[in-house]
Amino acid sequence: MGKFVQTVLSGAAQLEREMIVERVKNKIATSKEQGLWMGGTLPLGYDVKDKELIINEKEAKTVKHIFERYMELRSMAELARELNSQGYRTKARFDIFKKATVRRIITNPIYVGKIRHYEKQYEGKHEAIIEEEKWKKAQELIRNQPYRKAKYEEALLKGIIKCKSCNANMTLTYAKKENKRYRYYVCNNHLRGKGCESGNRNVIAGEVEKEVMKRAEHLYKNWQEKAEEWEELSFGKQKEVVKNLISGVMVRDDGIVVSSESGEMFIPMNLKKKGNKCTVVEPEGKTNNALLKAVVRAHLWKRQLEEGKYESVKELSAKINIGTRRIQQILRLNYLAPKIKEDIVNGRQPSNLRLVDLREIPMLWSEQMEKFYKLAS
């Protein structure tokens, strides 16, 4: 009997909760039909007073500027970059503009004096900031934006890069991990399961391409038919130069051989396996610029925050236009053992230590030494 009563009471309570939710939803819907502001994130360009939206003149100018520039640029991402570079900030003051932020503003009917409730729009009690004709043109632009399908770039060394061990062509392949795409040149025999004895049957595309581009730049500077300087060429034209001047790239165990009309050039590259990918190993004693830059930044940002130049990481992020998450990752480098910092500054860190290896830093210095210096063994 007790369980039955408990079940009935629970059912009644659940019914009451559902009725309350329904009444609240109906109240919100009715209020929005009447054009009333029902709270939530306050849109840029408006303040709220006595539960009514009133125009913030300073922010309204920013909103008008956003609509005008979008009509000219027709790119939300480009507009966001422009706004940030010109010092504009969102309603949160210290937040930078992102593509999604710009889109929310441009597609929000509140700026033409309307209140949106799901798919419906109602005439609002507040004053409009944007003329309806201009707002409609902006929506038309968005609808007519061509769908941009993601493109995988053409392999720079397609048809000219070969594996020395088996003289087979190498094909550009991709691997994806944690939403990041990595590019590799892989021996075709290895891809087809025929076997390849080379230690470099798969190499990081970017590392090899970078060295080939350097060689192409050197050849181009001595090329009689050049029309403009290498530095003035777009990246697309630089790739065309590579196609014209580089006839072959042979991947060996100890580096690559770049062939051209002027002959062959051997470029030593120590490609070493690390986990399930290849990395180019720097010579011992060579400064790792990425690590050095990160350590210097960590020290500088920590000092600026401690001295009160910036009140928070969020304010620092807005000033230097770097995400807060990235700043926090860099700031963690201040926990590194003094010995590790000193080695990074002097270029004596383990040769295959990378910035990505420092994402998780043990609190004890002894554990840090054991973890990071084991990478060299």
Side-chain angles (χ1 to χ4, degrees):
M1 186 67 180
K3 287 185 178 181
F4 173 74
V5 173
Q6 187 176 5
T7 302
V8 171
L9 292 175
S10 297
Q14 177 64 24
L15 180 61
E16 179 64 21
R17 282 194 295 271
E18 291 176 357
M19 290 175 65
I20 291 172
V21 169
E22 195 63 30
R23 283 197 294 267
V24 171
K25 284 183 177 179
N26 290 337
K27 172 63 177 175
I28 292 174
T30 302
S31 298
K32 288 195 171 185
E33 284 179 20
Q34 296 171 359
L36 299 176
W37 167 253
M38 292 304 295
T41 303
L42 201 59
L44 183 70
Y46 288 100
D47 292 327
V48 65
K49 184 178 181 181
D50 298 329
K51 297 183 180 181
E52 291 186 6
L53 291 176
I54 57 173
I55 291 180
N56 179 316
E57 295 297 338
K58 184 178 179 181
E59 292 180 357
K61 290 180 181 178
T62 302
V63 172
K64 291 177 181 178
H65 176 73
I66 289 172
F67 272 85
E68 288 169 3
R69 289 299 292 152
Y70 176 69
M71 304 287 279
E72 296 170 7
L73 296 174
R74 303 190 177 196
S75 169
M76 295 181 188
E78 189 176 340
L79 176 54
R81 286 192 292 269
E82 181 182 279
L83 291 169
N84 293 329
S85 66
Q86 293 176 353
Y88 288 96
R89 291 296 178 261
T90 64
K91 190 76 173 178
R93 301 300 179 194
F94 296 127
D95 277 357
I96 60 175
F97 280 91
K98 300 175 184 176
K99 180 181 176 181
T101 316
V102 174
R103 186 180 186 86
R104 279 196 298 270
I105 291 173
I106 295 174
T107 58
N108 196 342
I110 205 163
Y111 294 113
V112 286
K114 297 182 184 296
I115 295 290
R116 180 164 53 195
H117 185 59
Y118 295 107
E119 300 300 321
K120 296 181 180 179
Q121 295 180 13
Y122 304 103
E123 289 296 329
K125 300 288 186 182
H126 61 282
E127 188 179 347
I129 293 177
I130 303 297
E131 299 86 356
E132 189 163 356
E133 188 65 28
K134 182 180 288 187
W135 189 82
K136 286 181 178 178
K137 284 183 179 179
Q139 310 316 302
E140 189 68 24
L141 273 178
I142 294 172
R143 282 194 294 271
N144 293 333
Q145 281 284 352
Y147 173 69
R148 296 180 182 177
K149 191 175 181 180
K151 292 182 179 179
Y152 290 111
E153 62 269 34
E154 181 187 352
L156 176 66
L157 307 179
K158 181 180 179 181
I160 62 174
I161 185 169
K162 289 189 174 185
C163 171
K164 173 69 174 177
S165 177
C166 51
N167 200 36
N169 285 334
M170 300 186 79
T171 301
L172 185 67
T173 60
Y174 302 89
K176 199 169 184 181
K177 184 179 180 182
E178 296 178 356
N179 294 326
K180 290 184 179 179
R181 193 164 58 92
Y182 300 91
R183 302 163 60 246
Y184 300 92
Y185 284 107
V186 183
C187 173
N188 279 353
N189 281 346
H190 179 62
L191 278 176
R192 294 167 183 165
K194 294 182 179 180
C196 175
E197 296 180 359
S198 173
N200 290 334
R201 53 181 174 261
N202 61 324
V203 293
I204 292 180
E207 299 294 343
V208 177
E209 290 173 351
K210 182 169 65 176
E211 297 301 325
V212 174
M213 287 287 276
K214 287 180 183 177
R215 177 61 179 159
E217 179 182 0
H218 175 75
L219 293 171
Y220 180 78
K221 287 180 177 178
N222 299 317
W223 195 28
Q224 300 295 327
E225 300 178 23
K226 67 177 181 181
E228 50 189 325
E229 295 301 319
W230 176 267
E231 292 77 11
E232 297 172 357
L233 295 176
S234 66
F235 183 64
K237 289 184 177 179
Q238 288 179 355
K239 291 199 291 186
E240 290 179 12
V241 170
V242 172
K243 297 286 186 184
N244 291 328
L245 298 184
I246 305 298
S247 57
V249 178
M250 191 70 74
V251 178
R252 299 181 1 184
D253 286 344
D254 54 352
I256 60 174
V257 178
V258 182
S259 303
S260 62
E261 288 184 0
S262 59
E264 295 183 346
M265 179 181 179
F266 173 66
I267 302 174
M269 295 180 70
N270 186 12
L271 296 165
K272 183 179 178 182
K273 287 278 188 180
K274 181 185 175 185
N276 62 349
K277 63 180 181 179
C278 295
T279 57
V280 176
V281 179
E282 304 281 359
E284 294 291 343
K286 183 175 179 180
T287 301
N288 184 312
N289 291 328
L291 279 175
L292 179 60
K293 182 179 179 181
V295 169
V296 171
R297 275 182 161 182
H299 177 74
L300 174 64
W301 294 344
K302 179 174 179 285
R303 190 183 66 192
Q304 289 175 336
L305 288 167
E306 288 176 345
E307 292 176 352
K309 184 174 181 180
Y310 302 107
E311 293 183 1
S312 64
V313 170
K314 198 171 184 180
E315 184 179 349
L316 173 62
S317 169
K319 182 66 177 177
I320 62 178
N321 205 13
I322 296 177
T324 54
R325 185 176 178 184
R326 180 61 177 166
I327 291 175
Q328 288 167 346
Q329 287 175 344
I330 297 296
L331 284 173
R332 291 193 197 108
L333 298 182
N334 287 302
Y335 297 124
L336 283 174
K339 167 74 167 117
I340 299 177
K341 291 182 186 177
E342 183 182 341
D343 284 352
I344 290 173
V345 171
N346 296 318
R348 295 196 301 263
Q349 77 285 343
S351 57
N352 56 345
L353 180 66
R354 294 290 178 269
L355 186 57
V356 69
D357 299 320
L358 302 178
R359 284 181 178 174
E360 296 182 5
I361 302 175
M363 291 304 296
L364 294 178
W365 290 349
S366 58
E367 292 180 1
Q368 292 179 21
M369 298 295 292
E370 182 180 356
K371 177 179 180 180
F372 300 132
Y373 281 67
K374 262 188 176 181
L375 293 170
S377 58

